[in-house]
Amino acid sequence: MHQRGRRHRRPARRVPPERARRRASEFTPAGAEVVLVGYFSAKQKDFEALMASAAADLAARGARVAVQLVQRRGVSAGGVRKMSLPYSSRTLLSAGKVQEVAEACDRTSADAAVFVAALTDHQQRVLTKVLGRPAVSLSDIPLVQGGRTTPVPAPSRRRTG
């Protein structure tokens, strides 16, 4: 007889936040070729400017942006109700867009996938595994200035309408 409400799987291993941050900081953008990925709601009208700003930020850090991909949420009538939610809590993006990012990474032999949006530790682990290369948030990449490494926040997102 099936017992409802019970899960028969091991609990997920928790990665301490320090280790997750350390793993993200291991990626150095200097000389790296990256795929830049943006996730924006339909309310975000200036997403192209944010992507250009993120690409310029990566270029200033020494990375070369090979491909830019954007996932828009709430453009269709069905997505308007769920605009504030990610497509997937595991990957942030829809399954088709994750596949598109993976193909772009393989096609360009990118060293990493850099996301404009902040990724949770779980999303970072899942995307790194699926893409076969580091998946990091732009805000997690340290900036080296005068021999000192300091994290720089991602471009600010202004709310519109």
Side-chain angles (χ1 to χ4, degrees):
M1 178 179 206
H2 179 66
Q3 295 179 355
R4 296 181 63 146
R6 285 191 167 179
R7 291 186 174 225
H8 299 287
R9 64 177 206 197
R10 291 185 310 188
R13 278 187 356 178
R14 302 264 182 227
V15 175
E18 314 86 53
R19 278 186 46 205
R21 267 189 243 111
R22 197 172 340 124
R23 209 175 35 234
S25 66
E26 288 174 3
F27 169 70
T28 54
E33 189 162 321
V34 299
V35 172
L36 181 62
V37 183
Y39 176 80
F40 305 102
S41 77
K43 290 181 180 180
Q44 191 78 42
K45 301 298 183 197
D46 60 343
F47 73 93
E48 291 171 337
L50 290 172
M51 288 294 287
S53 172
D57 189 13
L58 283 168
R61 296 175 191 207
R64 187 178 89 73
V65 177
V67 177
Q68 294 184 24
L69 297 169
V70 174
Q71 173 83 65
R72 299 288 311 276
R73 181 65 187 251
V75 177
S76 66
V80 171
R81 292 184 306 273
K82 301 177 183 177
M83 274 198 320
S84 63
L85 303 172
Y87 273 106
S88 166
S89 60
R90 288 184 70 231
T91 62
L92 181 71
L93 308 170
S94 65
K97 189 58 75 171
V98 171
Q99 182 64 36
E100 190 177 334
V101 172
E103 289 171 1
C105 288
D106 290 341
R107 186 177 63 246
T108 61
S109 299
D111 297 311
V114 177
F115 288 75
V116 175
L119 297 174
T120 65
D121 293 340
H122 182 70
Q123 289 168 339
Q124 188 176 18
R125 284 192 308 271
V126 169
L127 286 166
T128 295
K129 184 176 181 180
V130 169
L131 300 176
R133 56 196 35 90
V136 296
S137 299
L138 183 61
S139 60
D140 291 338
I141 300 173
L143 178 65
V144 178
Q145 288 182 329
R148 290 183 57 191
T149 303
T150 55
V152 175
S156 62
R157 291 195 213 176
R158 287 179 288 196
R159 299 182 87 194
T160 57

